[in-house]
Amino acid sequence: MSVTYQDSNARMSQVAVHNGTVYLAGQVPTDASADMRGQTEQVLARIDQLLAQAGTSKEHLLSAQIWVTSMAEFDQMNAAWDAWVVPGRPPVRAAVEAKLAKPEWKVEIMVIAALPEA
C-alpha cells in the first residue's frame, strides 16, 4: 500500500493518506488574538479545508484529539465543536489540558477520517 503526503515541508506533512484513511497533523489557529471559541472555529475551518483537499469531509471523521491550554475555557471549545460536528456522527474523541508550542495558542486539534467509498 502506498502512502501519499500533502502540504509537506522538511519537518512534517499536514496530511497523510494510507489505505483509505486520512490523517491530519495537529491544526492550530491562524489568529491567536481570538478567544477559545474563535480559535477553535479557525482550527475546524482549516480541518474542513484539509479534509476536502484529501477527498473526504467531517462526515467521515473517525477520531479527534484535542489539546486545550485551559479547562476553564473548555466550554467555549465545546460550543464551537458542537456547532461544527455532524449531528449523529461524532467521532471518538479525547481532550486534554496541555501546554502548546506557542503560548498564544489556546487549542490544537488532530483528526483521522475515512475516505468515502467510491
Side-chain angles (χ1 to χ4, degrees):
M1 297 261 154
S2 66
V3 179
T4 59
Y5 301 96
Q6 300 172 11
D7 288 350
S8 302
N9 62 32
R11 178 169 292 144
M12 64 184 285
S13 296
Q14 293 300 312
V15 181
V17 181
H18 175 260
N19 199 24
T21 306
V22 176
Y23 303 85
L24 296 191
Q27 299 302 308
V28 295
T30 54
D31 177 8
S33 69
D35 64 7
M36 174 68 83
R37 183 173 183 147
Q39 287 194 22
T40 303
E41 289 168 347
Q42 292 171 41
V43 169
L44 296 173
R46 178 67 175 144
I47 288 171
D48 281 336
Q49 292 171 345
L50 290 169
L51 291 174
Q53 175 183 309
T56 191
S57 70
K58 65 185 176 184
E59 291 152 355
H60 301 282
L61 284 180
L62 301 172
S63 71
Q65 294 177 335
I66 302 171
W67 297 270
V68 297
T69 56
S70 172
M71 282 299 179
E73 298 178 293
F74 192 66
D75 289 344
Q76 289 183 48
M77 183 280 299
N78 271 331
W81 176 269
D82 292 344
W84 175 81
V85 76
V86 177
R89 300 190 75 156
V92 298
R93 186 183 106 161
V96 299
E97 184 176 66
K99 185 176 179 180
L100 300 181
K102 291 189 177 180
E104 61 269 24
W105 292 340
K106 295 178 175 284
V107 62
E108 182 169 351
I109 302 174
M110 188 167 123
V111 301
I112 300 171
L115 286 172
E117 293 184 12

